[in-house]
Amino acid sequence: MLDGLFKPRAIAVIGASNNPLSIGYIVIQNLAAHGFKGPIFPINPKGGSIQSFKAFKSVLDVPDEIDLVNISVSHKLVPGVIEECGRKGIKFAIVHTAGFKEVGGDGIQREKDLVALAHRHGMRIFGPNSQGVQNSDPGISAYANFTFVPMKPGNISIVAQSGGMGEVLKAHLHNVGLGHRMYCSYGNESDLTMPEFLEYYGQDEGTRVIMMQIESFKDPAAFLDVASRITPHKPILALKGGRTREGAVAVSSHTGALVDQVAMTQAMFRRAGVLGFSDTDEMIKTAIAMSSQNPPPGRRLGIITNTGGPGVQAVDESIDRGLVLATWSDAARARLKASLYAEASVGNPVDVVATAGPDHYFAAVDTLLKEDGVDMVMVNFITAPFVDLDGIAVRIKEAASASSKPVVSVVMTIEKWAGLVRKLRESGIPVYDFPEDAARSLAHMARYDELRRRPVEAPPALDVNREAAAATVRRHEGRDAFIPQADAFALLAAYGIGVARTVAIASRDDLDRAGIAFPAVLKVDSAAVVHKSEQGGVVLGIRDAAALRAAYDALQGRFGGRGVPCVLQEQRAAGREVIIGQAACPGLGALVMFGLGGVFVEVLRDVSFAVAPLSRQEAREMMREIRGARILEGVRGEPAIDAEAVETMLCRVARLAADFPAIVEMDLNPVLAYPAGQAPVAVDARIRIR
Amino acid sequence: MLDGLFKPRAIAVIGASNNPLSIGYIVIQNLAAHGFKGPIFPINPKGGSIQSFKAFKSVLDVPDEIDLVNISVSHKLVPGVIEECGRKGIKFAIVHTAGFKEVGGDGIQREKDLVALAHRHGMRIFGPNSQGVQNSDPGISAYANFTFVPMKPGNISIVAQSGGMGEVLKAHLHNVGLGHRMYCSYGNESDLTMPEFLEYYGQDEGTRVIMMQIESFKDPAAFLDVASRITPHKPILALKGGRTREGAVAVSSHTGALVDQVAMTQAMFRRAGVLGFSDTDEMIKTAIAMSSQNPPPGRRLGIITNTGGPGVQAVDESIDRGLVLATWSDAARARLKASLYAEASVGNPVDVVATAGPDHYFAAVDTLLKEDGVDMVMVNFITAPFVDLDGIAVRIKEAASASSKPVVSVVMTIEKWAGLVRKLRESGIPVYDFPEDAARSLAHMARYDELRRRPVEAPPALDVNREAAAATVRRHEGRDAFIPQADAFALLAAYGIGVARTVAIASRDDLDRAGIAFPAVLKVDSAAVVHKSEQGGVVLGIRDAAALRAAYDALQGRFGGRGVPCVLQEQRAAGREVIIGQAACPGLGALVMFGLGGVFVEVLRDVSFAVAPLSRQEAREMMREIRGARILEGVRGEPAIDAEAVETMLCRVARLAADFPAIVEMDLNPVLAYPAGQAPVAVDARIRIR
């Protein structure tokens, strides 16, 4: 439990001083200015007083019990004060001080020693090189952090890896008149880690929405576990920095993290039901909407507007983001007709016209919310000088309050009528500047509702020959190399993964013994030949024994000598090419990849990722998620592929990867998928075992 | 010239009243409150005075000359007052009054009569059903409009089809402390049209940036002509509503426009060099940056930040939008090292660290701007309480002023330090709330620079047999139907468009006379069979005369009877399938489409459009612009296609479309493209002639 960290009864500030530029000074100022409910004990070797608080020379001199210390003394002094804190029985230390792992060299050991020292005293370290924590709960009011955005109560809790981005998130909530619940930016994550904060937020009743900014995962498995348990009852919105190669390098240069976490992030967010964002503003705006509105029970949006243009923008963006325009009953249309001005239009968007007043807005919002076919409502409003703005705000709120469906508003105005914006916000109706922003937030909320309600399915039970696979894996383990094709096919076959019949050909004599029916394919099978097709290492359409021998001789000639290993394979009928891949993911297990073959992967990068093992539901999602998904359903007169069979293959590959961590890479490319009733088969497979 | 409209020396307001909710009242109030430099003459049949201005019973009673009238009397009274205005010699009438074309029925004729009446007097009509115009030029200060956003001088001029969106655009400029130059929202566009306003803005020296919102084009050709002449010296930013099918319906329901203008818009914006937007906020933010900053001379961006996280967001979004991270010289790195704190990082992003002061910012901005390898600079700044904010603003501006390259800033702060934001804005440095916004604006600015500097090429001279084509077109004109395949191929061949040899087969006897070499393809050629392949109407790989006869009989059997027309075609070697299409575009001419074949078009909708005729440069752009463009360059060991030959084919198709407006639709699908030296050929072609 992190109560001592987030709900401290007393705080000591070590490194407190009267220098207003020092972290110690600012922390005390922040704590005092926000009315921390417990006593604050400045610690300074000179004693005296700091900002009217009596200063102590050491925590050991403080008469009271202390839950939390903020430490900002030089890194050389940190071990000494930690030792004292330990003897005092303090359980949590926020170490602001830099000069540890992030500077490399000695700093790495310094950090390890620090954590070991703390643990000897049963103390946990937050940081070092960290910004601190906040809890706005009026009964606590702990601003144990050296930043500047004022704190006030709210129900969005924030965890940010970058202190700068944490400040940006808080500043924006502040600027729209909202507060936040808890906050932390955890620096080096030497001891206390991000999943622990997340878990604490998940259990906090005052937290309705969790917003996180992250650049690298120290412990992906722990994050996945914690996040998966939270999202069914509380949304997690996450901004992941470093989605481009250049962005990842920028992350790396300032956090020292591994470069490529993009695929892992996508896979984890899917599994955990986390809403991922690439745009900071979009995440904040969505969090704000979710802090007061329920997620919509479906994707059907009703739009109300008082001029046409913004309605069009709302429609375009909503459709682009996967929402659906609601339609309504004749009764609803009749009520709208009867309630609105004659010039109003009663389709979707409802145009109440510029001169509409409070009762018109009430009728429009209320009518739409009461329709079964409407899951959410967006009200666009360009302020007009001649209508009763206060009344409109009151009546929109009144209609919204009678429904559990979300209502958001877009108020396009100037500071003169900022009162309407304030009034709506205070009543809990989210207010946007532009219809497109509202549409994006609603789409994310609809997605969250689907995520939290999706069936939680276990990976399917599969008949596999684990012993046979284990034997193959054992035979290659320790070399960190791609294994021969025939072994790769055998390994797949052991897990019931359909493969084209394939036999290793070590010499010309093997050709006669192979027992592969014609037409057949002969391929070189050498680690040195990576792009077999492009390098002329594959002979297709071999129709008889003579052609087979000729093909063999040709390959031997092309690849410089006798005895170049080959495989002989039955040639399968053409099918829809797909790719199934796998890659070990340190700290998490294995990722599985799905994509359409050929240029779809290589040029369009149209692939999806998930964490192994897979449930059928997840395998299905992976297949649906690629841009070219409709191709699998059959286009241009071609039949649909047997999607369930491919799903099963994905689950089997994932199971194989999960069962044998030594398999660090699999690339089944292509897999030929066929219409219903015909099993898909891998016709080429590269497997690397470490 | 529209001087009388935008620079009126005197304005009469017909329908003026002392009812503060009336349009006439509000227009007079707006004109007076903004200090219109000429006299205002309220016109009211009762005379008296309105808002301290003497009212006249008729414009004919006004002693002075009048350039412009604002009319808001009931539509029944409009013709009468127009007649009086005509007799008075007034040249421009803004008609706010609704009840014309937009209501359908009688309104349509009413509008026509109105325009005819005005023209008899040499008067031009703005509207009807319109909002009005504004000119903030301090020597004019005409707020001849009934909206509410206060007007102040600026250098962005706005033309908006939707009055509501016009208000949104102005409100946002106002909210960030900027004004606008000229504005108009033109309602029904009965007489004066959007391209005329655009042209006027183009010639106005006080207009640096043009921002437009449009939902439908009344006269696309005029827009294309005017916009093309403006963009080489002044950017046009355009928000086009209705990009989704649902959005287009929403447009249609409130403007009565044709439903699908998406392809046309893409083609026109490309030809004219207009920057297209789908997000309102993104357009406004880009316009603001362009109103004070030059476009960057290239795509290489230098980023400065005072904390790591926002730098990562800046990098990710910049790369996503096609910018490139600049690198700098050793000398620059040395200067940064010498000028910044020891903990600063001097790569890209430059991290000046949170405590950096004015001189550090100056050094960073100045160093980057002086590098040849840097085209633009983004400065991210999270306010810190302990630094000299005013000094930082001054020094950033100082460094920026010494360079012609653009500098934008991202200031992440709260209202307490709004002074920094104000100070930067006042000095002409754009300020964003989030790094992603800044990245998007810079990317648009880089694109504009490329557009304005691209070579203007005429369509190539092509050897075509216009007479032969004309004969074919004439033969089919008047039926509005797809022409037989053999004729379609002949028409293409006349314009030098490569086609597979194809002969019409009207009867079984024709098979022997056809003279097509084997292997061959036999296809039904009936307007009733649209999806030939899917319906079994194509027999491929016919190897001899017997097989040909069998195929013929089979097709006759399948399509119900004797004498179903067919074509016999030489079977071409497999190549890369592409699609070239054409569609007549009323008011503009013809559009040409390019895409990759099959699922790329049908599932991914990966196509590009341009206006016929095409220059080589435009044909090249069309090919480069599709997402799968790299496929044409050769992937997976396949050779690149002969891009120049496909370019030529695109130019020829475009020329054919431009020469014969009666050709309303062409669909060359597929065209087989081959490696260098082999001409592409169309193997299927549907052509409709009206």
Side-chain angles (χ1 to χ4, degrees), chain A residues 631-644:
Chain A
I631 294 170
L632 302 172
E633 296 162 18
V635 283
R636 315 184 86 209
E638 287 175 17
I641 63 154
D642 188 335
E644 208 179 309

Side-chain angles (χ1 to χ4, degrees), chain A residues 137-330:
Chain A
D137 185 324
I140 312 283
S141 208
Y143 195 135
N145 187 349
F146 60 82
T147 55
F148 66 84
V149 177
M151 180 173 80
K152 74 173 194 180
N155 62 12
I156 300 172
S157 287
I158 299 169
V159 52
Q161 185 166 4
S162 154
M165 287 305 295
E167 199 66 352
V168 172
L169 302 180
K170 286 186 294 168
H172 196 86
L173 293 179
H174 174 85
N175 289 344
V176 297
L178 292 174
H180 60 272
R181 171 78 176 171
M182 297 187 194
Y183 169 81
C184 69
S185 180
Y186 47 78
N188 289 6
E189 221 177 350
S190 69
D191 180 17
L192 284 163
T193 60
M194 178 268 281
E196 294 177 85
F197 310 128
L198 208 55
E199 175 135 50
Y200 193 76
Y201 291 175
Q203 290 163 357
D204 173 45
E205 286 192 4
T207 297
R208 175 168 170 156
V209 177
I210 297 172
M211 188 155 61
M212 57 187 298
Q213 180 272 345
I214 191 155
E215 295 176 353
S216 58
F217 292 93
K218 191 187 173 199
D219 185 349
F223 166 76
L224 185 58
D225 172 53
V226 170
S228 301
R229 285 185 280 111
I230 293 173
T231 56
H233 58 96
K234 201 176 279 191
I236 300 177
L237 288 65
L239 185 71
K240 171 70 174 67
R243 71 182 191 279
T244 61
R245 196 181 56 77
E246 290 83 348
V249 170
V251 164
S252 169
S253 70
H254 89 101
T255 67
L258 277 172
V259 166
D260 189 7
Q261 299 200 333
V262 176
M264 181 178 85
T265 303
Q266 188 202 111
M268 287 199 297
F269 285 5
R270 176 214 314 291
R271 167 71 53 87
V274 169
L275 292 174
F277 290 81
S278 59
D279 189 89
T280 311
D281 194 20
E282 194 171 316
M283 176 172 79
I284 296 171
K285 291 195 158 100
T286 304
I288 291 171
M290 297 185 95
S291 77
S292 70
Q293 300 294 304
N294 293 323
R299 293 193 162 257
R300 297 162 305 174
L301 166 67
I303 299 171
I304 297 166
T305 188
N306 67 343
T307 71
V312 172
Q313 291 304 117
V315 170
D316 273 342
E317 191 66 24
S318 300
I319 298 299
D320 234 27
R321 294 291 181 132
L323 297 179
V324 173
L325 284 194
T327 53
W328 29 84
S329 65
D330 290 344

Side-chain angles (χ1 to χ4, degrees), chain B residues 223-232 236 268 271-274 454:
Chain B
F223 166 76
L224 184 59
D225 172 53
V226 170
S228 301
R229 284 185 279 111
I230 293 173
T231 57
I236 300 176
M268 286 199 298
R271 167 70 54 86
V274 168
R454 73 196 157 150

Side-chain angles (χ1 to χ4, degrees), chain B residues 368-447:
Chain B
L368 266 50
L369 285 173
K370 285 185 173 147
E371 283 288 291
D372 285 341
V374 175
D375 297 315
M376 63 194 116
V377 171
M378 180 200 303
V379 187
N380 291 277
F381 183 72
I382 296 187
T383 46
F386 34 77
V387 295
D388 170 11
L389 297 180
D390 268 8
I392 288 174
V394 168
R395 295 286 271 159
I396 289 175
K397 172 62 185 171
E398 196 183 324
S401 298
S403 171
S404 61
K405 298 172 186 172
V407 175
V408 302
S409 70
V410 181
V411 181
M412 294 158 277
T413 191
I414 56 177
E415 77 287 343
K416 185 173 162 188
W417 290 296
L420 172 63
V421 173
R422 203 166 43 244
K423 189 144 192 160
L424 280 168
R425 282 197 173 131
E426 281 167 6
S427 75
I429 304 285
V431 181
Y432 296 88
D433 290 337
F434 296 97
E436 296 94 326
D437 289 327
R440 290 190 277 262
S441 286
L442 288 170
H444 287 295
M445 290 166 75
R447 169 81 179 138

Side-chain angles (χ1 to χ4, degrees), chain B residues 482-549:
Chain B
F482 286 98
I483 66 174
Q485 289 264 313
D487 286 352
F489 282 105
L491 188 54
L492 296 172
Y495 264 59
I497 297 157
V499 296
R501 272 205 68 208
T502 306
V503 171
I505 304 293
S507 71
R508 208 166 191 274
D509 296 343
D510 286 347
L511 294 175
D512 302 325
R513 292 192 283 262
I516 295 286
F518 296 109
V521 185
L522 188 71
K523 310 174 183 179
V524 292
D525 181 21
S526 158
V529 186
V530 176
H531 301 290
K532 288 192 294 293
S533 298
E534 288 82 343
Q535 292 174 259
V538 177
V539 183
L540 291 160
I542 300 169
R543 307 213 148 249
D544 55 35
L548 176 56
R549 280 190 296 274

Side-chain angles (χ1 to χ4, degrees), chain B residues 319-390:
Chain B
I319 298 300
D320 234 26
R321 295 292 180 130
L323 297 180
V324 173
L325 285 194
T327 52
W328 28 86
S329 64
D330 290 344
R333 299 175 79 91
R335 184 180 161 200
L336 290 171
K337 274 250 174 262
S339 317
L340 303 178
Y341 285 125
E343 318 88 88
S345 40
V346 300
N348 195 359
V350 177
D351 188 340
V352 294
V353 310
T355 47
D359 292 346
H360 302 104
Y361 277 93
F362 177 84
V365 177
D366 188 60
T367 304
L368 266 50
L369 285 173
K370 285 185 173 147
E371 283 288 291
D372 285 341
V374 175
D375 297 315
M376 63 194 116
V377 171
M378 180 200 303
V379 187
N380 291 277
F381 183 72
I382 296 187
T383 46
F386 34 77
V387 295
D388 170 11
L389 297 180
D390 268 8

